[in-house]
Amino acid sequence: MTSPQPAPPQLERRQALVDVRLFMQRRSAVVGAVIMIVMLLVVLFGPLIAPYSPSIPDYAHILAPPSLKHLMGTDEFGRDILSRILWGARLSLAVGFIGAFASAILGTPIGLATAYYGGWFDDIVMRIVDIILSFPGILLAIGVIAILGPGLQNVIITIIVFGVPMFARIVRGSAISIKDLEYIEAARAGGATNSRILYQHMLRNLVGPITVQLTLQMANAILVASSLGFLGFGAQPPTPEWGAMLAEGRMFLTIAPWVDIFPGVCIFLAVLGFNMVGDGLNDMLDPRLRR
Amino acid sequence: MAAYFLRRVLQIIPTIFGVSVLAFLFVHAIPGNPAIFLAGPNASTATIHALTVQFGLDKPLAVQYWYFLINAVHGDFGKSLGDGQPVLRIIGYHFMPTVELAFFGLGLAVVIGILAGIASAVRRNTSLDYTVMTLSMMGVSFPAFWLAMMLIALFAVHFHLLPSGGDQGWKSFILPVISLGTSGAASIARFTRQSMVTTLTSDYVRTGRAKGLRESILIFKHAFKNALGPIITIIGIQFGFLLGGAVVVEVVYAWPGLGNLLITSVEMRNYPVIQTLLLLFALEFILASLLVDVAYALVNPRVRYD
């Protein structure tokens, strides 16, 4: 009984999320976190440090290549691309944040409830989830846009339409794996109500997988939003949303590639940052991958 | 095996039913009378009324759905707005280019992804592994349309090596296929590595090594065969992403496929075409999932007893 056994994996799992040291050991996760922080700073202070207006045309400097005056060059209206990117960060990233958070807030209770109650309720809800997720992500988004019309607000709605079932499915999966554990049974035996078990005991232990999914969902939401912007279904020109900037700049790919390079790099970096952090968190939470 | 297959086929029927209901409701979710946009922008009141009666739009929803289903089973998905051609014929024109693109894109993703993933797992924690994993992390983060634009700028505009768009001969396939396959290859590489690391460190591989089996036999016959299950699953999921990615990639390369058709139809508010395309894409995805499950059962006999 007293043999020095290693700690059970459950304990290790719960500590992992708050273990900053473990996170710092993963170089890619740290790089991702740095990118995320830079992006956040740009969202907060971008317009303040932008050297030019994002919208006022300057016809004397149309399609100027990158220079000291315009670090990322100018577009077909002579607008400074760096300034537009700094302003547009709010739109491109906000869509990701809002879409992913709203999906988590709506999808998590559904996943928890289906796992906990099971039965016909679970069957029906999960069947609906299967049906919605039978439409490949961006195609569902385009379908919803076809109904609602283009616009940034509708892009957020499409992301939520796809994100909620995704969260419900993942939270349900994780919740099923813990709902028969002894401490849940103990709570029930101790007279805890259903809602107390769900929120106090189960939700707390699912914070890890939910955080991972939230981070990856943000990456995905930014990709979908920029793709919709590029297709002309999201933010409309002259809004400096990054995907919409690429749609405008597409015509100048042959003569002024910088118009297309920099907004794309920003989308790529934002998505990369969230993916790296999500991946790092995922590895930390999964003891099997620690080798 | 046959019983498992049959059960799995029966299981997708409710999903297909649900997807058809959703596609049916799609037209009804648009504000206003469906007959007005079915008739097109310049239709007279009489035409709208005729369409209302023809499609039974004055009947209860359930009855309308029944008509929709019966027509769909007979291959009648309505007429395209504007030119009035049957929707199915229009989709037929655009079908093969997308199938070809998806086929080569998935092929590229599977071949590169599996090879890179195996190499990474075998040479775990070496610089090769780090390089593959870094590249694959970047690969899943590229917006496909932007990668497509950058490839055009580099190979079509700068080096004049490849055409920048259209479907003219094998050369025009190269850039779209790379744009489409990159993220899939990256995803498959990551899952292959993960799955292979698990099997390569398992007892049976260690035993095989102890008894002197050749390393290549160990890797491909023992480790890879057992790692195949999760890899097949991710390939199935990638197929769905691929269909979505094809839409934006087709737009960038002016590819005459279903993706381009979908975007033009949304812009023109050609709802019958959009409806049928959504249904078609969902059915393809469901079919792909079915194939994946069957393939999974073939490589992993244990699941058949579940």
Side-chain angles (χ1 to χ4, degrees):
Chain A
M1 283 302 262
T2 50
S3 60
Q5 287 286 318
Q10 237 69 41
L11 260 176
E12 214 182 332
R13 249 172 206 240
R14 246 187 289 169
Q15 287 166 351
L17 191 70
V18 286
D19 197 334
V20 178
R21 248 187 349 187
L22 209 59
F23 187 84
M24 296 302 280
Q25 280 169 6
R26 293 172 188 279
R27 221 180 312 158
S28 80
V30 174
V31 173
V34 170
I35 296 175
M36 268 174 73
I37 292 168
V38 171
M39 291 285 166
L40 190 69
L41 290 176
V42 170
V43 167
L44 291 175
F45 304 111
L48 296 177
I49 54 172
Y52 297 90
S53 152
S55 50
I56 297 173
D58 173 8
Y59 294 111
H61 300 95
I62 287 173
L63 297 175
S67 64
L68 278 180
K69 219 170 140 224
H70 297 282
L71 287 176
M72 296 183 180
T74 64
D75 66 6
E76 75 274 25
F77 293 106
R79 297 172 299 196
D80 182 52
I81 291 173
L82 174 65
S83 302
R84 284 176 67 71
I85 284 179
L86 289 171
W87 278 86
R90 291 191 171 184
L91 303 169
S92 302
L93 300 176
V95 172
F97 277 109
I98 299 170
F101 267 104
S103 305
I105 290 168
L106 297 171
T108 303
I110 298 176
L112 272 180
T114 49
Y116 186 71
Y117 293 110
W120 60 268
F121 173 69
D122 182 33
D123 285 343
I124 290 178
V125 174
M126 279 305 120
R127 193 51 59 183
I128 295 172
V129 163
D130 285 347
I131 290 165
I132 297 179
L133 295 182
S134 295
F135 294 90
I138 184 125
L139 293 167
L140 186 71
I142 292 172
V144 177
I145 289 291
I147 297 172
L148 299 176
L152 210 53
Q153 211 177 334
N154 293 343
V155 169
I156 296 177
I157 295 176
T158 66
I159 288 170
I160 296 171
V161 167
F162 193 69
V164 169
M166 200 95 122
F167 261 97
R169 186 185 268 181
I170 281 169
V171 170
R172 175 179 175 271
S174 313
I176 281 181
S177 68
I178 64 165
K179 83 165 185 171
D180 291 326
L181 291 182
E182 278 166 359
Y183 77 95
I184 301 286
E185 221 168 295
R188 198 176 299 133
T193 59
N194 282 339
S195 66
R196 191 178 163 81
I197 294 177
L198 280 173
Y199 287 97
Q200 201 71 22
H201 298 286
M202 289 179 69
L203 187 58
R204 281 199 184 176
N205 282 285
L206 296 174
V207 169
I210 292 172
T211 314
V212 171
Q213 184 56 24
L214 191 63
T215 330
L216 297 176
Q217 192 70 25
M218 279 186 199
N220 190 35
I222 294 171
L223 265 185
V224 170
S226 66
S227 303
L228 290 175
F230 174 73
L231 293 171
F233 299 149
Q236 300 296 314
T239 320
E241 192 269 328
W242 296 345
M245 285 174 74
L246 285 171
E248 271 186 276
R250 201 182 138 201
M251 293 166 251
F252 306 101
L253 191 58
T254 47
I255 49 168
W258 53 87
V259 182
D260 300 296
I261 291 175
F262 295 109
V265 169
C266 290
I267 299 170
F268 166 66
L269 282 178
V271 175
L272 185 69
F274 284 109
N275 272 337
M276 282 168 131
V277 170
D279 204 52
L281 289 174
N282 195 27
D283 286 1
M284 275 169 44
L285 291 169
D286 191 344
R288 285 171 309 166
L289 295 177
R290 289 202 199 137
R291 23 181 142 217
Chain B
M1 186 63 211
Y4 172 80
F5 180 73
L6 192 69
R7 193 152 39 104
R8 198 56 197 75
V9 170
L10 289 177
Q11 270 173 0
I12 63 169
I13 289 174
T15 313
I16 291 182
F17 173 74
V19 162
S20 71
V21 171
L22 215 60
F24 164 76
L25 288 177
F26 165 76
V27 172
H28 291 268
I30 303 153
N33 178 1
I36 292 174
F37 46 72
L38 283 173
N42 302 318
S44 65
T45 335
T47 320
I48 291 169
H49 181 72
L51 275 169
T52 309
V53 176
Q54 187 195 336
F55 286 98
L57 292 171
D58 46 355
K59 303 226 166 63
L61 267 187
V63 178
Q64 291 185 39
Y65 173 72
W66 180 246
Y67 287 160
F68 168 76
L69 203 64
I70 294 295
N71 287 336
V73 169
H74 289 97
D76 178 8
F77 291 91
K79 291 194 167 32
S80 160
L81 306 185
D83 56 4
Q85 287 200 58
V87 169
L88 211 58
R89 188 184 300 166
I90 294 182
I91 287 180
Y93 295 145
H94 296 82
F95 191 67
M96 277 326 278
T98 298
V99 170
E100 288 165 3
L101 195 59
F103 177 79
F104 289 115
L106 193 65
L108 179 85
V110 169
V111 171
I112 304 269
I114 288 183
L115 289 180
I118 291 178
S120 217
V122 171
R123 300 257 176 279
R124 189 160 71 255
N125 296 331
T126 62
S127 53
L128 173 85
D129 182 22
Y130 294 137
T131 312
V132 170
M133 283 303 107
T134 307
L135 286 178
S136 70
M137 185 49 106
M138 291 167 72
V140 293
S141 304
F142 273 121
F145 62 91
W146 183 63
L147 181 63
M149 285 164 76
M150 292 299 107
L151 289 175
I152 291 178
L154 202 61
F155 292 102
V157 178
H158 192 75
F159 291 123
H160 299 289
L161 281 175
L162 296 164
S164 65
D167 180 4
Q168 332 120 350
W170 63 272
K171 267 190 167 179
S172 57
F173 269 92
I174 297 176
L175 294 184
V177 164
I178 295 175
S179 312
L180 194 57
T182 298
S183 112
S187 248
I188 293 171
R190 300 176 66 74
F191 274 83
T192 304
R193 178 189 183 275
Q194 192 176 325
S195 195
M196 281 292 285
V197 164
T198 312
T199 53
L200 278 172
T201 49
S202 64
D203 288 339
Y204 57 82
V205 170
R206 197 176 315 142
T207 310
R209 188 170 287 135
K211 82 175 187 190
L213 280 181
R214 272 218 316 274
E215 199 63 15
S216 58
I217 290 185
L218 270 178
I219 292 169
F220 289 100
K221 192 149 175 245
H222 295 271
F224 181 64
K225 218 174 148 190
N226 281 291
L228 206 53
I231 298 173
I232 289 175
T233 306
I234 192 70
I235 291 174
I237 295 172
Q238 281 309 314
F239 182 73
F241 280 108
L242 207 84
L243 290 177
V247 175
V248 281
V249 169
E250 282 184 11
V251 169
V252 178
Y253 289 103
W255 196 259
L258 296 175
N260 239 327
L261 177 65
L262 178 66
I263 300 305
T264 345
S265 305
V266 173
E267 282 163 357
M268 316 261 283
R269 300 181 159 263
N270 197 340
Y271 293 110
V273 177
I274 305 173
Q275 182 182 42
T276 314
L277 280 174
L278 288 178
L279 191 61
L280 181 69
F281 279 123
L283 289 182
E284 283 175 2
F285 195 27
I286 293 172
L287 206 65
S289 313
L290 176 71
L291 290 178
V292 161
D293 282 356
V294 172
Y296 197 112
L298 281 176
V299 301
N300 188 358
R302 274 169 297 188
V303 300
R304 288 179 228 160
Y305 300 111
D306 284 353

